[in-house]
Amino acid sequence: GPAGVPPAAARDPPPPSLGARPSPAGSDLVDLPRAVSPRGTTDGGRRVTVGGSGLATVAWADYTSGFGGVFVATGQIPANVWTAPIMISLPGVAATDPDLDTNRAGNAAATWQTFGGSGAVEATVRPGPSSPWGIPMTLSINGSPALPLVDDAGRVLTVWNEGISSTKTSTYLP
C-alpha cells in the first residue's frame, strides 16, 4: 500500500467472538445477541430508543407477509428479555421507515410511512410504559418519513417533509 498506510489486516482487526464476555471496563458482562423479531423477518428499517427507567423499545418494518407492517417489542435493559412483537400499523397496509422516540417516563411515539400510492405519514403513541399503543393516525397523505419527539410531559411533536419544499409538523397533547 501507500507509504505510511498499514496493510488492511493491521487496520481492521477481526471482530471479537460472540458470547458473554467482560465489558471494556471489566465490570459488567456483554450479553449474547437475542432475537427480537421472528426468524425470517424481511427488514424495512429499524429504530431503537431507551427511556429513563431502562425500558427499551424497538420498531421495525417487516415485509414477510407481503404487504408488510410496522412492529414493536419492548425490553428492560440490562435483562435483554423482550416482549412478543406487536403490529402497530394497520393490517393490510404496506408500511416502511419506522421511527420512534421515548421520554424518561416511558411515553413513546412511533411514525412510519405507507407506500403504494402517495406515501402517507402515520403515527401512534404509547401513553405510558405499560399502556397499549394507540390506534394509528394519518398525519399526511403525501409526506416523507417522519421524526417523532416526545417531551417530559408526554407531548409529541412530529416533523416531516411534504413535497419538495414544505416542512410540516403535528402535535399530540395527552
Side-chain angles (χ1 to χ4, degrees), residues 51 53 56 96 99 108 111 127 133 140 167:
S53 64
T96 189
D99 208 336
T111 59
W133 288 88
S140 169
T167 298

Side-chain angles (χ1 to χ4, degrees), residues 8-92:
R11 288 192 315 263
D12 302 318
S17 63
L18 294 177
R21 61 194 181 278
S23 69
S27 61
D28 301 317
L29 288 179
V30 175
D31 204 0
L32 289 170
R34 311 247 176 152
V36 176
S37 64
R39 185 175 207 75
T41 297
T42 303
D43 180 45
R46 69 201 116 354
R47 297 289 183 263
V48 64
T49 184
V50 179
S53 64
L55 182 68
T57 303
V58 178
W60 68 93
D62 175 6
Y63 304 137
T64 56
S65 64
F67 273 109
V70 173
F71 292 80
V72 294
T74 56
Q76 193 66 41
I77 304 290
N80 202 8
V81 176
W82 297 90
T83 63
I86 61 166
M87 182 184 245
I88 59 172
S89 61
L90 294 173

Side-chain angles (χ1 to χ4, degrees), residues 56-167:
T57 303
V58 178
W60 68 93
D62 175 6
Y63 304 137
T64 56
S65 64
F67 273 109
V70 173
F71 292 80
V72 294
T74 56
Q76 193 66 41
I77 304 290
N80 202 8
V81 176
W82 297 90
T83 63
I86 61 166
M87 182 184 245
I88 59 172
S89 61
L90 294 173
V93 178
T96 189
D97 296 319
D99 208 336
L100 57 94
D101 191 33
T102 306
N103 68 8
R104 287 179 275 202
N107 301 9
T111 59
W112 58 92
Q113 184 176 17
T114 63
F115 57 93
S118 61
V121 173
E122 296 189 349
T124 186
V125 296
R126 182 186 69 203
S130 59
S131 299
W133 288 88
I135 297 170
M137 306 169 265
T138 299
L139 302 179
S140 169
I141 59 168
N142 184 19
S144 64
L147 175 66
L149 300 167
V150 184
D151 73 7
D152 288 342
R155 297 175 295 227
V156 179
L157 175 66
T158 304
V159 180
W160 68 93
N161 210 29
E162 200 164 282
I164 58 172
S165 63
S166 178
T167 298

